[in-house]
Amino acid sequence: MGGPKSQWLTLSITLALASLSASTAISLYLWKRKSKPTFSNGESSKKIEQLEASLKGALAKCAAERKGRIRAQQALREALRSPNSDKLESSSYPMAPIAVVHSCFSTRNGTPRQPLLVPLAKASLIFDSARIPLPSLEGLEGYSHCWIIYVFHLNTDLDKLWKHPSQSKFKAKVRVPRLNGDRIGVFATRSPHRPCAIGLTVAKVEAIHGHEVLLSGVDLVDGTPVLDIKPYLPYCDSIQGATVPDWVKADNILAVASVNFSEGFSSSLAECWLLVEKKSHYASPDEFQSLIRQVLSWDIRSLSQRSRPHQPQLNTESDDDVEKIVDDFSRVESCREDEAIENGGELVSSLTSDVVYHLILEGLNISYRIDSDSNVLVEKATLASLHSKSR
């Protein structure tokens, strides 16, 4: 049996031949119905017999080709469904991203954990015009929301996807924020660290301009590859009476007490805005400031950061320092979340309000502090070097 590519080639040739044969048969049939004989009765009868024989042969050939096409399709499905037990990773489906996300979230840090939590979170879904014909998007504007199937492309353990399950060291249980560090089966969560790094989210469809779909309420980081989108259907996607575990119902466990801005924040934002407004998803600094308030209305820090805040002695005056801090966030989270959580995850440093945290939105570095009572103070906005890398 050949590989998937040869199977696809055989299937394409079979379809082309079937189409040609069907076209020939129909043409002969229409000629017979519409043409008027201009010769003698004997010649006419002979001509009709020849045409009927030709039509019968063409139809028989079309039927045979159809059977061959069905057999080829069945063989391909079987090949994809029955991977080689010795090389599980060698069997794959022909999938590739059809679009990429241009999001207001420049990094993973600060991207909402679930969709629609931040209504002002905007993104543009840019489809590959070479692969996706423009008519493919016709009708999508009639729906208020759509599902988005995407790849967790920034996972730090993507290399495991190419390894055999026995060698991938796949973690069957993960820590979740709502359980204060307790572990639960990965398939009972929406953790990005999965055997197949595929995500599912829903967003509001704001507008469609050519190959660009404008979205809001997103939880997608900039540069996310998209595999597919589907319209949201309330009559079947919204399940009445659906139930969830009690730990999922704790909606306010990550909500902060308040979000306030320093006296100098507006002026610092105004200075930066002139440099980013042309590429921004937002029409004004005021709208952007509202986005910041919505994002920081939830405690976006990781479990380890909430339990053991970073030491306050951090020099964050340069863009290189900002980038390093963002990288440190990822490293600290991946290292510490495997450690035991002291006192059931309730340890909070008295120096919490002295720690400066950073949120990267639209290429701007937003500095803020959060005290032990979960009050957030947003201090200033500066340009971030990550801006040029994420756009």
Side-chain angles (χ1 to χ4, degrees), residues 101-106 110-125 148 201-206 213-221 281-282 287-288 290-296 298 359 361-362 391:
V101 174
H102 287 180
S103 171
C104 64
F105 299 106
S106 303
T111 303
R113 293 183 172 94
Q114 301 296 340
L116 308 180
L117 291 179
V118 180
L120 278 176
K122 298 181 181 181
S124 299
L125 194 57
I148 303 169
T201 189
V202 67
K204 184 179 180 181
V205 179
E206 295 287 354
V213 178
L214 302 180
L215 305 171
S216 66
V218 301
D219 60 346
L220 299 169
V221 68
H281 290 90
Y282 301 89
E287 185 183 20
F288 183 71
S290 297
L291 168 69
I292 298 172
R293 183 183 297 277
Q294 287 188 4
V295 172
L296 294 180
W298 303 90
L359 169 66
L361 292 174
E362 296 279 91
R391 284 293 182 207

Side-chain angles (χ1 to χ4, degrees), residues 43-75:
E43 293 175 341
S44 176
S45 298
K46 185 177 180 179
K47 191 67 175 179
I48 289 175
E49 289 177 359
Q50 293 175 349
L51 289 173
E52 287 178 342
S54 178
L55 177 60
K56 183 177 180 181
L59 291 175
K61 184 178 180 181
C62 183
E65 290 170 346
R66 182 174 183 275
K67 291 181 180 179
R69 184 174 72 252
I70 293 175
R71 285 196 297 269
Q73 291 172 340
Q74 291 173 340

Side-chain angles (χ1 to χ4, degrees), residues 187-190 237-251:
F187 293 127
T189 75
R190 294 189 175 185
D237 289 340
S238 178
I239 302 175
Q240 298 295 326
T243 60
V244 298
D246 289 339
W247 62 268
V248 178
K249 298 177 183 178
D251 291 334

Side-chain angles (χ1 to χ4, degrees), residues 1-60:
M1 181 182 297
K5 291 185 178 179
S6 61
Q7 296 281 8
W8 279 116
L9 180 59
T10 301
L11 178 58
S12 300
I13 295 174
T14 303
L15 290 172
L17 290 174
S19 176
L20 179 60
S21 298
S23 177
T24 303
I26 293 172
S27 299
L28 289 171
Y29 176 74
L30 293 176
W31 186 90
K32 176 183 172 183
R33 291 288 302 272
K34 295 182 179 179
S35 62
K36 295 181 180 180
T38 58
F39 28 73
S40 63
N41 290 337
E43 293 175 341
S44 176
S45 298
K46 185 177 180 179
K47 191 67 175 179
I48 289 175
E49 289 177 359
Q50 293 175 349
L51 289 173
E52 287 178 342
S54 178
L55 177 60
K56 183 177 180 181
L59 291 175

Side-chain angles (χ1 to χ4, degrees), residues 145-157:
H145 295 75
C146 70
W147 294 105
I148 303 169
I149 303 172
Y150 62 97
V151 179
F152 289 109
H153 70 300
L154 294 182
N155 278 7
T156 56
D157 56 357

Side-chain angles (χ1 to χ4, degrees), residues 338-355:
D338 285 337
E339 300 175 2
I341 304 301
E342 298 182 20
N343 300 326
E346 298 299 328
L347 177 62
V348 177
S349 170
S350 61
L351 297 175
T352 299
S353 60
D354 293 328
V355 178

Side-chain angles (χ1 to χ4, degrees), residues 288-360:
F288 183 71
Q289 185 167 334
S290 297
L291 168 69
I292 298 172
R293 183 183 297 277
Q294 287 188 4
V295 172
L296 294 180
S297 292
W298 303 90
D299 194 339
I300 63 175
R301 298 174 300 171
S302 69
L303 177 63
S304 59
Q305 291 167 1
R306 296 198 308 274
S307 301
R308 299 178 232 177
H310 298 290
Q311 294 303 315
Q313 292 78 16
L314 292 174
N315 181 7
T316 61
E317 295 302 321
S318 69
D319 289 343
D320 290 338
D321 290 329
V322 172
E323 184 173 355
K324 181 178 182 300
I325 290 170
V326 172
D327 291 339
D328 287 344
F329 282 169
S330 299
R331 289 198 297 271
V332 170
E333 182 173 0
S334 62
C335 293
R336 287 183 172 175
E337 288 192 352
D338 285 337
E339 300 175 2
I341 304 301
E342 298 182 20
N343 300 326
E346 298 299 328
L347 177 62
V348 177
S349 170
S350 61
L351 297 175
T352 299
S353 60
D354 293 328
V355 178
V356 179
Y357 294 97
H358 298 268
L359 169 66
I360 311 297

